[in-house]
Amino acid sequence: MALNDIFKIQYKCELIRLGQKNDGGYLICKKSIAKTEYLVSLGISDDFSFEEEFLNIKKGDIKIKCYDDILDQFFLIKKIIFSLLRAIYEKKFQVFKLQIKKFINYRKLKKKILFEKKKINRNDLDEILTQIDNNQIHLKIDIEGNEYSLLDEIL
């Protein structure tokens, strides 16, 4: 499948990285951040660093909706418990501290970002995008190989 010309880069732009330095971080055109009024993120797992940095750059002047079929408070608590047990066994507490920090950030961000525990398919994406009465949308998809199944719907 070939992408429509509308999705091809039309001009040079300054790229900046948002999110973690490994998986969960993305390069994005700085100008597009300024124009974005709505961020829709599909596939978060426990990494919402991209969304957090996007929100900080926009100074809260943006609506963000995140969808993932596993992310919720209970999932993060399970990760804390698992990382604590691992930390005790290995006597390394860095991962445990990171999980605590993620949990605290999640609780803070829930006041500014809508997190919905839901697996997204083509019909769901169509419904989500139809409900948003705005054409300044940034769509971030990281659904472990299922991104391609949504391309037709995006086009």
Side-chain angles (χ1 to χ4, degrees):
M1 164 189 353
L3 284 177
N4 189 314
D5 285 343
I6 193 168
F7 293 106
K8 293 181 181 172
I9 296 174
Q10 303 292 322
Y11 53 89
K12 291 183 179 182
C13 66
E14 179 186 352
L15 294 175
I16 61 171
R17 184 175 183 89
L18 299 183
Q20 292 189 73
K21 292 186 172 122
N22 52 8
D23 187 30
Y26 304 89
L27 291 174
I28 183 170
C29 181
K30 195 172 183 177
K31 285 183 183 177
S32 71
I33 295 172
K35 293 179 181 179
T36 300
E37 296 175 12
Y38 221 110
L39 171 62
V40 176
S41 289
L42 310 177
I44 305 293
S45 184
D46 68 339
D47 183 2
F48 33 84
S49 58
F50 176 88
E51 293 75 16
E52 185 175 16
E53 287 187 34
F54 210 108
L55 183 67
N56 289 337
I57 289 171
K58 291 290 287 183
K59 309 240 187 295
D61 187 29
I62 186 169
K63 293 179 181 162
I64 301 177
K65 287 189 174 184
C66 299
Y67 298 89
D68 193 281
D69 61 338
I70 62 169
L71 178 63
D72 63 7
Q73 199 163 288
F74 181 66
F75 172 72
L76 293 173
I77 290 170
K78 284 193 304 187
K79 288 197 77 153
I80 289 171
I81 293 168
F82 178 75
S83 66
L84 175 62
L85 295 174
R86 186 173 173 192
I88 292 169
Y89 178 74
E90 295 177 356
K91 296 184 180 20
K92 296 178 184 174
F93 288 85
Q94 294 150 328
V95 174
F96 174 67
K97 290 176 187 176
L98 176 66
Q99 292 302 328
I100 294 288
K101 183 179 177 184
K102 280 185 181 183
F103 180 78
I104 292 167
N105 285 349
Y106 175 78
R107 299 279 298 169
K108 288 179 187 175
L109 289 173
K110 278 188 71 162
K111 298 172 185 168
K112 301 173 185 175
I113 295 175
L114 170 71
F115 289 96
E116 188 169 330
K117 186 176 179 178
K118 181 177 187 176
K119 187 171 186 164
I120 301 298
N121 61 37
R122 291 178 65 178
N123 295 333
D124 295 322
L125 180 59
D126 183 48
E127 183 180 326
I128 289 166
L129 296 177
T130 302
Q131 290 175 359
I132 299 171
D133 185 26
N134 192 314
N135 63 353
Q136 300 299 323
I137 299 171
H138 183 91
L139 184 60
K140 186 203 96 177
I141 305 173
D142 188 1
I143 313 177
E144 303 311 320
N146 290 327
E147 297 91 341
Y148 299 104
S149 67
L150 299 175
L151 278 178
D152 285 334
E153 193 60 40
I154 294 167
L155 294 174

